[in-house]
Amino acid sequence: MDDPYHNNDGGYPYQTDYPPQEEDAASDATEGADDDDQMYEGEYQGVPHPDEIKEARRAARMEARRKARMAAQQEEEEENLPEQYETIMEDCGHGRFQWMLFFVLGLALMADGVDGFVVGFVLPSAEKDMCISNADKGLLGLLVYVAMMVGALVWGGLCDKMGRRKCLIYVLTIDLVFSFLSCFAQGYGFFLFFRFCSGFGIGGSIPIVYTYFTEFLQMDKRGEHLSWLCMFWMLGGLYASFTAWGIIPHYGWGFAIGSEFQIHSWRLFILVCLFPALAALVGVVFMPESPRFLLENARHDEAWMILRQVHDTNWKAKGEPERVFTVSLQENTPQTQEDEFIEIQSETGTAFQRWTVRHVTMLQQVMANIMSLSAPELRLQGLFLVVVWFCLAFSYHGLGVWFPDMIKYMQYEEYESKVRVFHRERVERFHFNFSLVNQIHREGEYIHDKFANIEIKSVKFEDSLFENCYFEDVRSTNTFFENCTIKNTVFYNTDLWKEKFKDCRMENTTFLHPKKGCHLNFQEENDIVIYLVSFLGSLAVLPGNIISALFMDKIGRIRIIGGSMLASSACTFLLLLSFSQGAVICWQCLFYGVSVAAWNGLEVISVELYPSSKRGTAFGILNGLCKFAAIIASFVFAAFIGITKIIPIFLAFAALVCGGLVALKLPETREKILS
């Protein structure tokens, strides 16, 4: 039977027998063409059908157009979000909520200020209590600053991915736990470890606090209220100085359990210094997350609830509870591939695998955020900020080390000028029942003498003979025996150890019940000047803080920074006139009072220049750089104590002038909406 669809040749009809079709519409109608065998062979060899190629190209074009539309839409939304958010914050107003957050975050900043003074205040006592050598003492200060530098870098980056509030809770908790443990550490190794961990925690507070508070402020309030917030760092210094002055010099406030576990008053001081961090932690627990952070991470419902809370809290406090929060937020921020990957992996695998995936991916995001700061649009202003931060930190912290060390050196010189020298004295059968202070005894002879219940401070015995002598209940500070001969002598219940006998010859000498640890005399080792200098230095920044807060939004950040740094450079020359302790303290207060305005302006402009998704990361890097500059400055400036004043003053002057001139190149952010 003939097939109506076949020719007489047994082949297939030509396509021209049918109505013409568009080229792209070729489909099943082409099946059964004369070249069917040939196409089958090509398909068998893996060659795609022409129709499949056309369909794939069409799908690719459609996908490209879809992605282009999404990219344009996302770019438009990103441009609209800052203006929309600024409008929302203006609608919420500035009132009770911001002031509550202000005091809570201020306490966190105060805790950072306290930690900056703790080590300097406890070292004069701790170095005696735990027999810390000069090398170990320097290591403590170095490691604390290194820990704070690392903490600023780590927590600044994490707060852009984990949230401002959550990271601040972690930071304050770490500081509290390890500071508390350091109060009871009896060995120097444990004390060093605990202070390092505490520094790592509190080091992240400054980047988080400024980033957190900035995102609750409207544009015309940012400069002023961020400057007021800076005052809490000054209050931290005042709190630490005042409590140290009232606690540490009182030896009776301590107690001991046996000879191995001792709690002296300097440990109580560390405990009291935990109160600001503890109060801040309690307050932050009741504060909400930054809505700007939530919007950047597509958590619109949470952001809307928090913004409504801010709105209602402020307007109820102003007597207008009837005002309704009418803002609606569109959930249009797309998720990144990393976010989708985290969600997928969070539902699969073991708990350890899920934890590993989340944190490794978060680390990758943080690193990508850091690398994005080198983008062309951020590179130049970032370089200027780095220079200004480094120059200001180098001069400020360098002189911060130089001032107290210079005062101590002047005290030492005055003390040395009053030293009494005894040469070739012979003392026989004498009872020393009075303290020996600031003396040098050369080539003396002490026969059948008794040294009982006395203190020997800053005394050196050189080439002397002690024969048939008896030492009982002797406390010593900075006392040494050099090239002495000690015969038939008993040391009972003293803290005179082998380290204090240099190149001495011992003959039939006995040490009974030696005191463990080092002598600790709080009345002698804690000069009132130590606390007075820090107290006055912290108090001196109050006028500068007030002036910078009042004028930050009026004359702009750039003029504040540049003017303050250049004025501070002029103040450094007055240090050449410091020939007494009083003069050094006076010029120190003047320098701190003038330079604090530059710090306030620099911190304000640092949070305003960078977009919300990179704000904490950038501020953490800048604050870490500040700690790095402080480490370098502490070594450089301390190296010239007792040698010359010219080089430290010249270095501070050059750094301040350089930083002040570069600051004038920064963009003004006074009327800039947070990007």
Side-chain angles (χ1 to χ4, degrees):
M1 183 176 178
D2 294 337
D3 188 343
Y5 293 96
H6 284 74
N7 295 330
N8 297 332
D9 300 334
Y12 292 91
Y14 290 99
Q15 193 172 355
T16 53
D17 295 340
Y18 296 90
Q21 300 179 4
E22 294 182 6
E23 181 182 1
D24 289 347
S27 59
D28 295 340
T30 61
E31 287 191 43
D34 288 340
D35 55 351
D36 180 76
D37 295 336
Q38 181 180 353
M39 291 302 296
Y40 178 80
E41 181 181 358
E43 187 173 340
Y44 178 76
Q45 294 174 357
V47 179
H49 194 284
D51 295 339
E52 295 178 357
I53 296 176
K54 293 175 183 177
E55 186 67 27
R57 289 175 178 172
R58 184 182 299 109
R61 288 194 297 270
M62 293 178 62
E63 180 66 18
R65 286 194 294 269
R66 187 185 68 83
K67 289 184 177 180
R69 286 195 301 269
M70 287 185 60
Q73 182 182 4
Q74 180 180 355
E75 183 177 355
E76 182 180 357
E77 289 166 358
E78 289 176 352
E79 292 176 355
N80 292 335
L81 177 59
E83 296 182 1
Q84 181 188 13
Y85 190 79
E86 181 65 28
T87 303
I88 294 172
M89 294 312 302
E90 290 177 356
D91 184 59
C92 291
H94 187 93
R96 174 179 292 178
F97 181 89
Q98 279 83 0
W99 284 113
M100 289 190 302
L101 185 63
F102 173 81
F103 285 108
V104 170
L105 297 183
L107 288 170
L109 200 60
M110 184 177 174
D112 180 88
V114 169
D115 263 42
F117 288 89
V118 164
V119 172
F121 286 150
V122 303
L123 264 181
S125 303
E127 65 179 324
K128 298 297 186 299
D129 195 12
M130 295 189 290
C131 302
I132 303 176
S133 64
N134 288 331
D136 290 338
K137 182 170 61 174
L139 182 63
L140 175 61
L142 172 64
L143 284 183
V144 169
Y145 264 107
V146 170
M148 296 179 77
M149 178 182 69
V150 176
L153 294 172
V154 171
W155 293 111
L158 288 177
C159 80
D160 281 334
K161 294 301 176 184
M162 297 174 59
R164 289 51 162 133
R165 174 181 174 273
K166 181 184 291 186
C167 283
L168 188 56
I169 289 175
Y170 289 158
V171 159
L172 294 172
T173 302
I174 292 173
D175 177 52
L176 279 170
V177 170
F178 287 101
S179 293
F180 179 79
L181 293 176
S182 71
C183 297
F184 304 98
Q186 299 297 305
Y188 179 65
F190 281 108
F191 183 76
L192 193 67
F193 173 75
F194 292 145
R195 294 312 305 179
F196 179 87
C197 294
S198 171
F200 172 76
I202 202 64
S205 62
I206 291 181
I208 300 173
V209 163
Y210 282 99
T211 301
Y212 194 7
F213 193 49
T214 299
E215 295 172 347
F216 280 96
L217 297 173
Q218 57 199 68
M219 182 175 61
D220 59 344
K221 300 287 186 181
R222 282 201 308 265
E224 178 184 354
H225 288 272
L226 286 174
S227 298
W228 291 126
L229 187 66
C230 296
M231 294 183 63
F232 279 92
W233 203 92
M234 171 207 71
L235 294 177
L238 292 175
Y239 178 82
S241 305
F242 185 77
T243 53
W245 193 349
I247 294 175
I248 293 181
H250 298 279
Y251 180 84
W253 286 31
F255 64 90
I257 302 176
S259 60
E260 299 293 335
F261 190 81
Q262 300 183 10
I263 301 296
H264 291 138
S265 56
W266 65 268
R267 299 179 186 272
L268 179 62
F269 163 68
I270 296 178
L271 194 63
V272 172
C273 286
L274 299 181
F275 292 162
L278 180 61
L281 178 60
V282 173
V284 171
V285 169
F286 294 97
M287 290 292 111
E289 181 56 86
S290 163
R292 185 61 182 270
F293 167 79
L294 296 174
L295 289 174
E296 294 287 343
N297 289 270
R299 296 161 62 181
H300 298 77
D301 290 340
E302 296 176 64
W304 187 87
M305 293 296 294
I306 293 171
L307 289 170
R308 180 180 177 181
Q309 176 188 350
V310 176
H311 177 277
D312 294 347
T313 301
N314 288 340
W315 290 111
K316 284 180 181 178
K318 294 178 181 179
E320 300 183 36
E322 69 280 358
R323 294 190 62 153
V324 180
F325 185 63
T326 59
V327 174
S328 61
L329 298 173
Q330 299 178 357
E331 300 188 11
N332 46 22
T333 304
Q335 288 182 309
T336 64
Q337 293 181 355
E338 291 84 356
D339 295 329
E340 294 174 354
F341 180 68
I342 290 177
E343 285 189 3
I344 294 172
Q345 294 297 322
S346 296
E347 304 298 330
T348 61
T350 64
F352 177 75
Q353 290 174 332
R354 294 194 296 270
W355 184 90
T356 304
V357 168
R358 285 195 298 269
H359 288 81
V360 169
T361 308
M362 184 179 296
L363 179 61
Q364 292 173 346
Q365 290 177 328
V366 171
M367 294 304 298
N369 225 15
I370 293 174
M371 297 304 295
S372 66
L373 294 175
S374 61
E377 64 273 13
L378 299 176
R379 188 181 303 155
L380 186 59
Q381 65 189 29
L383 179 61
F384 288 159
L385 270 178
V386 165
V387 173
V388 178
W389 270 90
F390 184 87
C391 290
L392 182 58
F394 179 82
S395 58
Y396 185 90
H397 290 287
L399 290 176
V401 170
W402 187 82
F403 286 130
D405 283 357
M406 193 64 187
I407 292 174
K408 290 179 182 178
Y409 178 74
M410 289 180 173
Q411 290 178 329
Y412 175 76
E413 279 192 324
E414 182 180 359
Y415 193 73
E416 286 289 303
S417 65
K418 299 177 181 179
V419 65
R420 298 178 61 190
V421 180
F422 299 86
H423 188 65
R424 290 186 177 180
E425 63 176 351
R426 180 181 174 88
V427 181
E428 189 172 355
R429 300 185 183 278
F430 185 79
H431 182 193
F432 288 88
N433 56 3
F434 52 88
S435 296
L436 305 178
V437 180
N438 197 21
Q439 300 175 2
I440 298 178
H441 299 261
R442 296 194 178 103
E443 300 180 7
E445 295 182 0
Y446 305 90
I447 314 297
H448 292 285
D449 293 328
K450 182 178 181 180
F451 301 80
N453 196 25
I454 65 171
E455 179 182 357
I456 306 177
K457 179 182 178 182
S458 298
V459 176
K460 184 184 295 184
F461 295 94
E462 300 176 351
D463 303 304
S464 298
L465 170 66
F466 293 85
E467 186 173 356
N468 294 315
C469 292
Y470 182 75
F471 291 79
E472 180 180 0
D473 293 326
V474 173
R475 304 178 304 278
S476 64
T477 304
N478 195 28
T479 295
F480 300 97
F481 297 78
E482 295 184 0
N483 198 28
C484 295
T485 301
I486 304 175
K487 300 180 178 179
N488 303 320
T489 298
V490 176
F491 294 87
Y492 180 84
N493 196 29
T494 72
D495 60 0
L496 297 172
W497 289 83
K498 293 182 179 180
E499 289 77 8
K500 298 191 176 184
F501 297 91
K502 302 180 179 180
D503 300 322
C504 293
R505 294 173 296 279
M506 301 283 188
E507 299 180 11
N508 196 24
T509 300
T510 305
F511 291 86
L512 299 175
H513 301 288
K515 292 182 180 179
K516 294 184 178 181
C518 298
H519 168 56
L520 185 61
N521 187 329
F522 286 90
Q523 293 181 349
E524 296 293 336
E525 298 303 327
N526 293 275
D527 194 333
I528 190 175
V529 177
I530 298 175
Y531 313 110
L532 181 63
V533 169
S534 298
F535 184 85
L536 293 178
S538 299
L539 190 62
V541 306
L542 180 61
N545 257 317
I546 295 175
I547 293 173
S548 64
L550 294 177
F551 291 95
M552 188 69 69
D553 289 320
K554 292 182 174 61
I555 66 176
R557 288 77 161 124
I558 304 306
R559 293 179 180 177
I560 288 285
I561 299 171
S564 175
M565 293 185 72
L566 294 176
S568 299
S569 66
C571 292
T572 57
F573 276 107
L574 296 175
L575 296 175
L576 294 172
L577 305 177
S578 55
F579 299 106
S580 65
Q581 297 180 39
V584 172
I585 295 174
C586 178
W587 304 139
Q588 173 198 15
C589 294
L590 180 62
F591 175 78
Y592 284 165
V594 174
S595 61
V596 70
W599 279 115
N600 293 357
L602 195 56
E603 286 159 347
V604 171
I605 200 173
S606 295
V607 295
E608 292 179 332
L609 274 178
Y610 290 95
S612 295
S613 60
K614 302 177 178 63
R615 185 168 294 126
T617 302
F619 203 108
I621 292 175
L622 293 171
N623 196 252
L625 178 73
C626 170
K627 300 299 188 293
F628 178 69
I631 293 171
I632 297 176
S634 63
F635 284 104
V636 173
F637 281 71
F640 293 100
I641 296 295
I643 299 177
T644 178
K645 292 188 295 185
I646 297 177
I647 294 179
I649 292 173
F650 174 77
L651 290 175
F653 172 79
L656 288 168
V657 170
C658 176
L661 295 177
V662 173
L664 299 177
K665 299 292 184 180
L666 290 170
E668 180 58 68
T669 58
R670 178 172 39 171
E671 299 179 355
K672 182 179 183 295
I673 296 177
L674 291 180
S675 58

